[in-house]
Amino acid sequence: MSFKIARSEGILLAIIAAYCAAVAVINPAFLNIDTLFDLIRTSSRDLILVMGLLLIMLSGGIDISFMAMALVGSYCATWLMMKIGWQSAAVLIPCAMLISTIMGLCNACLVSWLKLPAFIITLGTMNLFHGLMATLVGTRTFGGGILPPSFSAFGSATLFEIEGEYGAVGLTVSIIPVIIVVVLTWFIIYKTMLGRGIVAIGNDENSAIRLGFKPLYLRLFAYGYIGALAGLAGSIYICQVNAVYPDKMIGEELMVVAGAVIGGTSISGGKGKIFGAILGVIIIYLLKSTLIFLGLSASWNNFFVGIILVLSLSFTAWQEKVRNDRHLLFKVESR
Amino acid sequence: MKSLHLHVKGQSAKLMAESQESAGAGAPASTQNSWFKRYFIADANLNALCFVFILMAAVCALAFGSSMYSGANLQSMAFQIPEFGLIALGMMLAFLVGGIDLSIVANACLSGIIAGFILTGQWLPGLEEGSRIALAVVIALTLSTLMGLFNGILIATCAVSSLIATLGTMTFYSGIGMALTGGRSVVGFPDSFTSMGIAEVGGVPLIFIMFIAVMIIMAVMLEKTGNGRKLYLFGGNPVASLFSGINNKRMNLAAFTAIGFLAGLAGLTIIMRVNSAKVGYGDAYVFQSLIVCVIAGIHPAGGRGKVIGIGITTVLMQMAASSFTILQLSPYTTKLIWGLMLILVLGLTKDGRKLLNMLSQSLKKPAARRPAGSEDA
């Protein structure tokens, strides 16, 4: 296995390094192991989600209902556990993953049936899932006092601790599922027929069908996979914040999409790298958590994310257009 | 070489004819019919829409009676329709060219905020009230149009797909708004400005009349002018439009610039009515305007749909929202209903005709008499 860094990812790495250097010069407090561990902890939910999103976007679709799935899966699982009386976080995760996977499969069926832009369909199901949950299960907030202690124990557990300037800081346990998911996604995309098929339908669905791939099954897998990951990510998130709100997480999905896109994932399918997607999410979280070091309030967050997004988008699209023009390919469908 | 050229031309003419046909009932074949027939009878989708509208009106009358049809409620609906209707019209333009625009609401909010800064005198102080209002309106509309143009440049010139491009600009525009205001509202507009928002002519709000005027202008421009027909053709079949000598890039630019202008109008309407400007106002409108477009029969793949459909559906949505308020539904239940409605409408427009045929065949009745071509729904 050779690990080669592509040019776009090299640019992203350079941007991250330059930005970190700039922040460190302005505010030396940034250079602390604390910052790194905190970044890993807060971004672990979105790092898991972006892996599922990458698979979906490779298949030429998009799913923006994943935050709703994460919320509904973890909320319903918690609610069920409170009803039955189970206490362990080890039960929460598979429960939530199961519930979210079912929702993901619903998405896949709808996308395959309606043959319309997946964005519109999953926007509908996002509202549908959230509305169903709130109407059928309830809108109660489960605070830290009610939740089983195993949740917060899992959420705040650390692999190892280092004595920092401001006391001991530890690397969160959540990094283990993140690593597992990243490796699993890499394996699926590059080493299985399933993954190759998903990339194939993303590049050209008709050719993929003639090669013998079945788009329905591949979509079922891709949308089910993001469902399962959403359940996992949602459970990790509620363990980390140690509370279950009926309206959190929803509304943050576009930032994950932005992360994937900054990382060079193509919306029209077939193109995208795992490392790029990870870097994209990291950049967004880096901006989110370091503006305060620069003396800017959190209000500036969207401004900078927007600038980076627009710049990276126009840059990659422009490059592709120039390449297409040189090869006398004219693409009219990119509207 | 010449034969190839002719071949391409012939094919493009065929494609153009196909796309014209699919563009709805505006095809030249039905010109001898009256406008009413052309508009309502020949268009299956509009037909269904009118039917649903009458049904909804009747159900509301039966279920809520005077609380729905009281003068006060009708008027408050007429005050709320324009801002949302303008956004839906913008989304319709994006749908017509086969794209989507997520940045409409962010654009409206930002132009509203900038108008607010000028109106309150925080920017360009020392102007008289009248010129301040005029300047605020002009600058807000210019800026929003420029923001739309920026979207258009990203989409047409840099060839970014519209979903991602407008996702980026949505974040960017709302980011500018956040950076300018810090999340606070801009308040304290001059009375003569806000009085325009509540002004009425013979019981009909002024902003509602403006909305109707915008709708008529858009309908005429889209359906009666050459450029409008070109836009439909481009949306329905960009390959055909390219080979018909239409400047595809300019079509995209024009559509998204027009969306920017509509967003600016919506932003001004909003701040006029609620008397404050703030980031994040009307975020739900993005989703609701998508539903409106889908229900109104604007095909997401582009090239199909009519302005009047948007008009009817906007009123329909407002009636639904009004009845939710009367029923005191929770916002979550409202969300559930909107989501269900979107999926249902998408499913019905795809396979509704098939279901209907199956139903009528099982009832041993002759199948629907409509020619197969007229139903693309």
Side-chain angles (χ1 to χ4, degrees):
Chain A
M1 174 190 161
S2 64
F3 189 76
K4 223 165 56 182
I5 294 179
R7 196 165 140 220
S8 60
E9 286 148 20
I11 294 173
L12 282 182
L13 273 178
I15 290 175
I16 293 180
Y19 179 77
C20 287
V23 177
V25 167
I26 295 170
N27 192 339
F30 170 73
L31 282 183
N32 195 334
I33 198 80
D34 232 17
T35 323
L36 179 67
F37 284 179
D38 198 47
L39 188 73
I40 292 172
R41 187 181 135 90
T42 49
S43 66
S44 51
R45 178 195 70 186
D46 288 3
L47 284 175
I48 292 175
L49 286 171
V50 84
M51 287 298 112
L53 186 65
L54 177 69
L55 203 63
I56 296 275
M57 285 172 79
L58 280 177
S59 81
I62 195 168
D63 186 346
I64 56 157
S65 66
F66 54 82
M67 280 295 182
M69 294 196 283
L71 170 67
V72 175
S74 53
Y75 188 91
C76 292
T78 314
W79 176 79
L80 265 179
M81 286 173 68
M82 308 293 277
K83 281 265 159 184
I84 300 171
W86 285 335
Q87 294 286 314
S88 167
V91 185
L92 169 76
I93 293 176
C95 253
M97 283 171 79
L98 185 70
I99 296 170
S100 312
T101 310
I102 294 169
M103 287 185 276
L105 294 179
C106 288
N107 275 339
C109 295
L110 283 173
V111 170
S112 301
W113 171 45
L114 295 172
K115 297 206 167 39
L116 284 173
F119 181 82
I120 297 176
I121 295 170
T122 51
L123 193 63
T125 53
M126 169 180 127
N127 285 270
L128 188 59
F129 295 153
H130 190 204
L132 269 180
M133 177 202 92
T135 315
L136 298 181
V137 180
T139 52
R140 206 177 131 210
T141 300
F142 298 102
I146 315 169
L147 287 179
S150 64
F151 283 22
S152 67
F154 171 67
S156 56
T158 51
L159 283 180
F160 56 85
E161 297 204 341
I162 294 174
E163 277 305 316
E165 277 174 62
Y166 314 105
V169 287
L171 184 62
T172 170
V173 168
S174 318
I175 197 171
I176 294 176
V178 173
I179 291 172
I180 292 175
V181 166
V182 169
V183 172
L184 182 67
T185 313
W186 175 84
F187 184 77
I188 289 172
I189 293 178
Y190 293 104
K191 295 291 163 189
T192 65
M193 217 49 198
L194 214 55
R196 297 326 293 165
I198 286 171
V199 177
I201 61 168
N203 272 319
D204 191 335
E205 186 159 346
N206 284 330
S207 318
I209 292 171
R210 288 184 192 171
L211 283 172
F213 289 116
K214 299 269 185 296
L216 174 64
Y217 299 142
L218 293 172
R219 289 223 166 84
L220 276 175
F221 176 78
Y223 285 85
Y225 185 67
I226 196 175
L229 292 190
L232 175 64
S235 317
I236 289 176
Y237 180 74
I238 62 169
C239 288
Q240 280 180 355
V241 301
N242 195 23
V244 189
Y245 302 98
D247 52 358
K248 278 279 160 73
M249 293 200 249
I250 291 216
E252 294 171 42
E253 51 276 313
L254 290 182
M255 277 298 142
V256 184
V257 179
V261 171
I262 289 175
T265 315
S266 160
I267 185 85
S268 50
K271 272 192 222 84
K273 294 255 168 57
I274 289 181
F275 190 50
I278 293 174
L279 286 182
V281 170
I282 295 274
I283 282 195
I284 286 181
Y285 269 89
L286 197 63
L287 279 174
K288 218 184 205 170
S289 59
T290 54
L291 285 178
I292 215 100
F293 287 106
L294 293 174
L296 291 169
S297 70
S299 317
W300 288 82
N301 189 9
N302 271 2
F303 179 74
F304 287 106
V305 173
I307 286 183
I308 290 192
L309 197 53
V310 170
L311 282 182
S312 75
L313 278 175
S314 41
F315 181 69
T316 32
W318 177 256
Q319 265 188 332
E320 193 178 326
K321 189 174 145 58
V322 168
R323 202 163 43 237
N324 282 343
D325 285 352
R326 205 186 308 137
H327 296 149
L328 299 178
L329 276 170
F330 78 103
K331 273 179 89 174
V332 279
E333 64 267 74
S334 70
R335 288 182 281 174
Chain B
M1 201 57 211
K2 197 172 182 187
S3 70
L4 177 75
H5 181 67
L6 277 177
H7 174 68
V8 167
K9 251 197 148 172
Q11 197 177 16
S12 73
K14 203 175 118 206
L15 285 170
M16 192 167 180
E18 268 176 16
S19 142
Q20 279 256 343
E21 204 174 300
S22 66
S30 56
T31 34
Q32 64 265 45
N33 294 334
S34 70
W35 69 270
F36 179 80
K37 202 166 180 187
R38 197 164 71 238
Y39 248 86
F40 290 98
I41 312 290
D43 194 325
N45 205 322
L46 218 51
N47 238 340
L49 199 60
C50 290
F51 176 69
V52 171
F53 183 75
I54 294 166
L55 196 74
M56 177 89 185
V59 167
C60 282
L62 283 178
F64 308 119
S66 59
S67 56
M68 172 63 86
Y69 291 109
S70 69
N73 193 42
L74 285 179
Q75 205 179 39
S76 87
M77 273 164 60
F79 273 115
Q80 281 164 27
I81 284 172
E83 56 187 60
F84 174 55
L86 287 169
I87 289 167
L89 282 178
M91 194 61 95
M92 170 196 171
L93 271 179
F95 267 45
L96 276 187
V97 295
I100 196 167
D101 193 338
L102 303 176
S103 70
I104 302 179
V105 174
N107 186 341
C109 281
L110 180 54
S111 42
I113 285 167
I114 286 168
F117 274 130
I118 299 171
L119 282 171
T120 52
Q122 278 165 284
W123 289 4
L124 311 170
L127 285 169
E128 275 180 55
E129 199 173 287
S131 53
R132 212 163 44 184
I133 291 173
L135 201 66
V137 169
V138 169
I139 289 183
L141 287 180
T142 317
L143 270 177
S144 70
T145 313
L146 283 178
M147 283 189 269
L149 180 68
F150 182 63
N151 280 339
I153 290 172
L154 278 182
I155 292 157
T157 313
C158 300
V160 188
S161 91
S162 58
L163 172 65
I164 290 298
T166 54
L167 167 67
T169 51
M170 174 182 88
T171 319
F172 184 48
Y173 297 157
S174 63
I176 298 174
M178 262 318 244
L180 285 176
T181 60
R184 287 179 294 274
S185 327
V186 183
V187 287
F189 303 147
D191 286 340
S192 48
F193 180 72
T194 47
S195 65
M196 277 195 283
I198 49 172
E200 45 190 77
V201 182
V204 184
L206 196 63
I207 49 175
F208 189 74
I209 295 172
M210 181 204 72
F211 171 59
I212 298 286
V214 169
M215 247 175 58
I216 291 171
I217 293 170
M218 239 181 93
V220 169
M221 278 174 72
L222 279 176
E223 284 156 34
K224 295 290 168 210
T225 68
N227 279 327
R229 299 314 302 172
K230 281 182 191 168
L231 197 76
Y232 273 99
L233 173 59
F234 164 63
N237 194 336
V239 181
S241 78
L242 189 73
F243 284 121
S244 314
I246 293 173
N247 191 337
N248 279 359
K249 200 185 270 185
R250 198 174 289 165
M251 286 291 134
N252 245 337
L253 274 179
F256 280 91
T257 313
I259 295 172
F261 183 76
L262 288 173
L265 275 184
L268 286 174
T269 317
I270 290 172
I271 64 166
M272 224 181 250
R273 194 177 68 82
V274 302
N275 200 7
S276 72
K278 184 170 174 282
V279 177
Y281 183 87
D283 273 349
Y285 284 162
V286 180
F287 176 54
Q288 288 180 9
S289 60
L290 280 175
I291 302 182
V292 163
C293 284
V294 169
I295 296 178
I298 320 289
H299 200 277
R304 269 177 242 168
K306 284 213 175 72
V307 175
I308 187 148
I310 295 281
I312 296 174
T313 318
T314 314
V315 178
L316 202 65
M317 289 287 278
Q318 191 60 48
M319 278 169 78
S322 223
S323 47
F324 294 162
T325 319
I326 296 174
L327 286 172
Q328 292 177 326
L329 293 185
S330 78
Y332 298 110
T333 319
T334 317
K335 250 183 146 176
L336 168 68
I337 294 174
W338 290 147
L340 198 64
M341 207 145 109
L342 181 64
I343 301 295
L344 269 183
V345 170
L346 285 177
L348 282 180
T349 45
K350 182 163 189 298
D351 281 341
R353 180 72 52 176
K354 217 191 276 175
L355 285 175
L356 212 66
N357 281 346
M358 268 160 59
L359 205 71
S360 61
Q361 267 171 12
S362 67
L363 291 173
K364 299 265 182 221
K365 276 182 184 168
R369 275 190 303 146
R370 262 185 213 95
S374 75
E375 54 96 7
D376 46 21

